[in-house]
Each structure stands twice: as structure tokens, then as C-alpha cells.
Amino acid sequence: LGNFGEFELLEDEEHNRFLALKVQQIQNSLVTLTFSADDIRFITNRSPGIIQEARIKPFEGGSKNGELLVTVFNTGAIVADYSLSVTDCSEYILPVLAQKFSLLPSEPETKEFRVYSTNELSRENYCGVYLYDSVGSLLDHVRVNFTTTATQHNQGAQQGEEPSVEGEQAEDQLPMKEMGCFDFCAYYNIICLLIHECWTSVAMVCVVILVLSFLLVCCCYCIWSGNLFIILKCCCVSLRTASSLQNRATGRRRR
């Protein structure tokens, strides 16, 4: 619940507990009351006031770190309600929620506003601060100029201290092996070889495919023409002749 505001557990006179949410922004609620209005008067206190100071420290652009501090002063003699708004800001400054509060006479009070910038570049900005009384009449206004610095995307070590001793490099401990084309692709995956620009491997695969295709065509032709058996017979005769010559040479060596 802390992300939605400041909550507080309260207890009334009858020991009934309820959860209350504290808000500083202007909230509109509709309440319907039915009663006899013969002797009822509605009184609104009005008192003059001024803005004594308004300042914003430079903050990083593209962040939510802007903090606007406005000090107001009730110059009257009674307690009165006031409202403070921040409008008419320069480009890239998001709208700021107004605040409503009461002030004691002759007592200053400082209000805090969060300023958000959506621009990551260094630039000059401004916003108008307006003070209104309890009936909405403008009492005072000032213009605040401030600077947003360029966004720093690299912040170094984000947790703990950055080590000063350098560690050993992995390449000094592990053997390096150059990866080949067939480490990425299968030998039959020509599309993968083309993507990795393995032109030598593509050429080898194409040659193998052409040789196998040529042999297949030759076999089909031999079967169709009836010469397959003649070729097989020649191969067998050649093998027998080679075996006979080898046996004779072995016999001569023994003698």
C-alpha cells in the first residue's frame, strides 16, 4: 500500500478502527447533506499571502529526480486555506499535481513538488508557480528557471565496490578451437552452408551430388541396355586375375 500514498490506522471514540489515506493533492468529493438551513451560515476565511521563494536544483534529464521547493507566507491575521499549482512549464516537463493546505497567520511553510523530465538532453527549463486563496483568487505567482543535465546511461558498478584486481582471462585457461562450417551445419544442409558463406563446403557437396547422380544414371542406362551383367562379369574376372597373380608372387617368394 505504500506505493499509493501514506496510510494511517486511526481509532474513534467508540474504538472503531479505520484506515485513512493522507493526500496533499486537490481531491474532489461529492457529499449530499439534507438539513434545515434556517440558522446555518457558511463561512470561508480569506487571507492574503505571498510566495517567498521557489527553487529547483539541477537534475538529470529523463529522470524523476526534480525537486521543487516553494515557500509561502500568510501575510494576514487569520487562518486560511490556500492552493498552490505548478503550470505553464516548458516542453518535456510532465504536469505537476497541485496542493491545497491551510496556513497560520505570519507563519511560512515550504511545500515540495516532484518534477519529471522526459528529455534526455541537457537543456534550460522553466515552470510557473501560482498561489490562490480559498475562493480561487490569484494572490501571487513566480517563474522558476532550472537546468536538466544530459542523461548518464552508464553508472558503473551499481552495488558494492568495483574490484581493483583484474582476474584471469578465460582465453588464458581454455584452449581455443576454430569452428568450422560443419560445426554449425550438417553436411546435407546446403541452405545453412550458404547462410554461413561456406563456399568450399558447398562446392564439395555439389561435386558429391553430381558424382552420385552420374553413377546412378550410368547404372540405370546399363540396366536398361542389358550391359550391367557384362560389366559385373568383367569386374569379377579382373578380381580373380589379380588374386591369381598375387598368389603366384607369394609362392615365388617362399621358394
Side-chain angles (χ1 to χ4, degrees):
L1 295 177
N3 295 330
F4 299 95
E6 182 180 356
F7 287 87
E8 184 177 356
L9 185 62
L10 302 178
E11 185 176 350
D12 57 13
E13 297 178 354
E14 299 179 357
H15 303 289
N16 295 320
R17 294 185 177 183
F18 57 93
L19 192 64
L21 171 63
K22 294 182 179 181
V23 293
Q24 296 180 345
Q25 296 81 15
I26 298 177
Q27 304 289 332
N28 296 323
S29 302
L30 179 61
V31 179
T32 302
L33 300 177
T34 303
F35 51 86
S36 177
D38 297 338
D39 299 325
I40 290 181
R41 293 181 298 171
F42 184 76
I43 299 176
T44 301
N45 290 337
R46 298 183 62 187
S47 180
I50 59 173
I51 299 175
Q52 287 187 331
E53 184 184 15
R55 64 184 185 277
I56 305 179
K57 295 182 180 180
F59 63 96
E60 185 176 320
S63 68
K64 300 179 180 180
N65 299 327
E67 184 181 58
L68 170 61
L69 298 177
V70 182
T71 303
V72 294
F73 186 80
N74 182 356
T75 58
I78 59 174
V79 179
D81 293 334
Y82 298 89
S83 60
L84 201 59
S85 64
V86 181
T87 56
D88 302 333
C89 294
S90 56
E91 191 178 7
Y92 304 115
I93 301 299
L94 297 182
V96 182
L97 294 176
Q99 296 185 21
K100 190 172 184 180
F101 51 91
S102 297
L103 280 181
L104 297 174
S106 302
E107 182 176 336
E109 185 171 342
T110 301
K111 296 298 180 181
E112 179 182 337
F113 297 86
R114 306 302 300 180
V115 180
Y116 303 153
S117 172
T118 60
N119 189 6
E120 297 184 353
L121 301 178
S122 176
R123 58 179 288 125
E124 297 294 329
N125 306 277
Y126 60 86
C127 279
V129 182
Y130 299 86
L131 178 64
Y132 299 92
D133 63 8
S134 57
V135 295
S137 299
L138 180 62
L139 300 177
D140 194 7
H141 72 281
V142 294
R143 174 169 168 166
V144 183
N145 299 312
F146 58 97
T147 303
T148 52
T149 59
T151 303
Q152 301 295 327
H153 294 282
N154 185 11
Q155 299 293 340
Q158 298 297 305
Q159 196 171 31
E161 297 181 357
E162 188 174 0
S164 58
V165 180
E166 295 183 357
E168 297 180 359
Q169 297 183 359
E171 60 184 11
D172 297 336
Q173 301 177 1
L174 300 178
M176 299 298 294
K177 179 182 178 182
E178 185 177 358
M179 303 293 289
C181 292
F182 292 115
D183 293 327
F184 300 100
C185 310
Y187 65 90
Y188 53 82
N189 194 343
I190 299 179
I191 296 178
C192 180
L193 295 173
L194 290 173
I195 293 175
H196 289 85
E197 299 182 356
C198 300
W199 309 120
T200 303
S201 302
V202 172
M204 293 174 56
V205 173
C206 292
V207 169
V208 172
I209 293 176
L210 289 176
V211 171
L212 294 177
S213 300
F214 177 75
L215 293 176
L216 181 61
V217 171
C218 291
C219 291
C220 293
Y221 175 76
C222 292
I223 294 174
W224 178 74
S225 61
N227 296 326
L228 179 61
F229 298 103
I230 298 174
I231 294 174
L232 294 176
K233 184 177 180 181
C234 291
C235 291
C236 292
V237 172
S238 299
L239 291 174
R240 288 179 182 178
T241 304
S243 178
S244 178
L245 292 174
Q246 185 177 2
N247 293 333
R248 290 178 182 180
T250 303
R252 290 177 182 178
R253 290 176 182 176
R254 291 178 179 177
R255 292 177 184 178

